[in-house]
Amino acid sequence: MIIDDINKFRDDRNWRQFHNEKDLAISISLEASELLELFQWKSAAEGISDIEKVKEELADILIYSYMMADNLNLDVDSIIREKLIKNNKKYPISKSKNNNKKYTEL
């Protein structure tokens, strides 16, 4: 599993001590901002023109997210499935198909 590779990388460097939930949440936000920066003042197409940078920033976000889930003993697949069930109720196909309105506006 990928989390084993992530944890090995972290543990080989003795970084677990720095990866509490607060700092991981901050790191997720910071890396998301770095991803956003790739798109600032650009079109969507221009933003993905350097796909390697996009992949790196997205990977950083996912790594920190997996680490947080692991710290909290959460199964990533399960929490995503649970969220998709909730989203399906908030955004029924009959009201949301071809519509980008928020669920409170449907």
Side-chain angles (χ1 to χ4, degrees):
M1 292 182 65
I2 194 67
I3 190 62
D4 296 327
D5 295 336
I6 293 168
N7 286 342
K8 180 176 181 347
F9 179 87
R10 177 200 66 202
D11 294 343
D12 286 350
R13 289 152 183 82
N14 196 30
W15 286 351
R16 175 65 181 92
Q17 62 187 316
F18 308 118
H19 293 158
N20 60 68
E21 293 73 29
K22 175 194 69 81
D23 289 327
L24 289 170
I26 291 168
S27 295
I28 292 166
S29 180
L30 292 172
E31 294 299 339
S33 294
E34 290 180 17
L35 178 62
L36 282 171
E37 190 174 29
L38 299 177
F39 292 88
Q40 186 177 26
W41 316 121
K42 299 174 185 168
S43 68
E46 290 170 325
I48 61 169
S49 63
D50 189 343
I51 196 68
E52 287 305 311
K53 286 184 181 176
V54 172
K55 286 168 39 178
E56 287 180 15
E57 298 306 338
L58 187 56
D60 286 340
I61 294 163
L62 291 167
I63 289 167
Y64 285 130
S65 297
Y66 268 79
M67 290 171 72
M68 178 177 258
D70 188 57
N71 278 9
L72 298 170
N73 296 313
L74 301 173
D75 178 79
V76 173
D77 290 344
S78 294
I79 63 175
I80 290 172
R81 282 190 190 99
E82 290 170 13
K83 183 61 176 171
L84 287 172
I85 290 168
K86 289 179 182 179
N87 285 350
N88 193 44
K89 291 176 184 175
K90 287 166 66 171
Y91 295 97
I93 294 170
S94 62
K95 293 182 179 181
S96 59
K97 189 169 186 173
N98 296 318
N99 186 338
N100 65 356
K101 290 183 180 176
K102 188 173 179 175
Y103 70 95
T104 54
E105 299 173 1
L106 294 176

